[in-house]
């Protein structure tokens, strides 16, 4: 099992550019999450999904969109990147019968917006 | 966790000593408290949890203590090893199946 994988690992964007971060999990988990991690702050939930074809907003959804067309994949899109979106992005997944915090995290994507 | 600006609080311990990492939580209604370990360049990894109706829980080389009176959580690591070097952060699960609030973290440095 590869667990949770994220693509790419690093990316530099110019302000206004767009990109998509890909998260894939091979554990057949129903729930998937996107977080951002910034210095001096805890992980903050951007969007999440409780199953294929469903998405919901988290704590900081503005400027991001997500899609869950397949159960194993959760995509995070930035339509027009801003410097404030410079961060490390983590994807996570869990099975529906796990407790909410029993999440498996990917290795992260470091995004810099100049 | 407390806000300490851009710099993580750091705890340096000698290899073989015990480590104690502290966390203050905010929501007295939280029903679970959790500790995660995050190694450099990796995602967080679940270590141990404790339910709000308990005050102590032990795992392998780790013990979590919960003091609800002062809203304080601690993680004790026995016989700290170089592989324990990481950022440790606490989290609280306050009902509603998606509501997990993560703290900032403490960086543990193990001195060989």
């Amino acid at each position: 099992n590869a667990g949770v994988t994220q693509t790419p690992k690093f990316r530099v964007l110019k302000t206004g550019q767009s990109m998509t971060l890909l998260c894939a999990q091979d554990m057949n988990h129903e729930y998937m999450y996107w977080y951002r991690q910034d210095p001096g702050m805890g992980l903050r939930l951007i969007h999440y999904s409780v199953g294929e074809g469903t998405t919901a907003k988290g704590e900081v959804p503005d400027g991001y969109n997500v899609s869950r067309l397949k159960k194993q994949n959760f995509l995070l899109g930035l339509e027009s990147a801003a410097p404030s979106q410079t961060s490390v992005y983590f994807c996570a997944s869990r099975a529906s019968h796990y407790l909410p915090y029993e999440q498996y995290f990917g290795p992260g994507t470091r995004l810099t917006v100049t | 966790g407390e806000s300490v600006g851009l710099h993580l609080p750091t705890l340096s311990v000698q290899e073989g000593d015990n480590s104690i990492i502290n966390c203050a939580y905010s929501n007295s209604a939280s029903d679970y408290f959790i500790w995660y370990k995050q190694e450099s360049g990796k995602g967080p990894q679940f270590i141990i949890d404790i339910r709000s109706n308990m005050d102590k829980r032990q795992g392998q080389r780790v013990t979590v203590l919960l003091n609800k009176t002062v809203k304080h959580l601690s993680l004790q690591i026995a016989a700290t090893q170089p592989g324990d070097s990481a950022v440790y952060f606490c989290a609280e699960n306050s009902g509603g199946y998606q509501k997990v609030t993560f703290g900032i973290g403490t960086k543990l440095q193990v001195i060989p």
Side-chain angles (χ1 to χ4, degrees):
Chain A
N1 278 359
V4 179
T5 57
Q6 292 182 233
T7 310
K9 288 187 168 44
F10 303 94
R11 186 70 187 268
V12 178
L13 286 180
K14 292 189 182 340
T15 298
Q17 287 185 320
S18 62
M19 77 162 294
T20 301
L21 280 66
L22 171 64
C23 175
Q25 52 95 4
D26 60 2
M27 297 173 283
N28 203 35
H29 286 169
E30 292 81 9
Y31 295 172
M32 296 187 75
Y33 308 81
W34 275 107
Y35 294 92
R36 59 178 290 172
Q37 187 176 47
D38 301 295
M41 304 186 78
L43 287 168
R44 291 184 292 168
L45 182 64
I46 305 172
H47 286 280
Y48 63 97
S49 168
V50 300
E52 181 179 319
T54 72
T55 63
K57 293 180 180 180
E59 184 184 351
V60 289
D62 293 344
Y64 305 96
N65 57 75
V66 287
S67 64
R68 184 104 181 263
L69 298 178
K70 293 183 179 181
K71 187 177 184 179
Q72 63 268 33
N73 295 338
F74 196 28
L75 278 63
L76 178 71
L78 285 73
E79 288 186 350
S80 180
S84 61
Q85 293 178 305
T86 293
S87 188
V88 181
Y89 291 86
F90 288 99
C91 176
S93 71
R94 73 169 173 96
S96 58
H97 59 277
Y98 290 173
L99 289 166
Y101 52 85
E102 290 180 299
Q103 300 174 21
Y104 288 81
F105 287 85
T109 294
R110 184 174 292 276
L111 175 66
T112 302
V113 183
T114 61
Chain B
E2 297 154 13
S3 174
V4 289
L6 298 179
H7 301 287
L8 287 175
T10 300
L11 174 68
S12 296
V13 297
Q14 207 72 37
E15 182 179 354
D17 287 352
N18 296 336
S19 303
I20 300 176
I21 301 169
N22 298 304
C23 174
Y25 64 88
S26 57
N27 189 347
S28 54
S30 293
D31 43 14
Y32 283 96
F33 301 91
I34 312 99
W35 282 100
Y36 292 89
K37 174 185 181 182
Q38 186 174 16
E39 295 175 273
S40 181
K42 296 185 179 180
Q45 182 181 10
F46 169 86
I47 302 173
I48 190 168
D49 60 352
I50 185 167
R51 200 164 180 169
S52 60
N53 61 355
M54 302 170 66
D55 52 21
K56 181 179 180 178
R57 188 167 187 214
Q58 288 184 295
Q60 188 174 15
R61 279 203 308 119
V62 295
T63 301
V64 56
L65 299 178
L66 176 62
N67 185 331
K68 292 183 288 294
T69 304
V70 294
K71 294 186 192 174
H72 183 268
L73 189 66
S74 70
L75 177 71
Q76 300 178 2
I77 304 173
T80 312
Q81 302 168 0
D84 295 326
S85 293
V87 173
Y88 292 81
F89 55 90
C90 64
E92 50 189 302
N93 188 175
S94 53
Y97 63 91
Q98 302 303 339
K99 187 60 176 172
V100 182
T101 303
F102 296 87
I104 297 167
T106 296
K107 184 174 182 179
L108 175 65
Q109 288 182 330
V110 181
I111 304 165

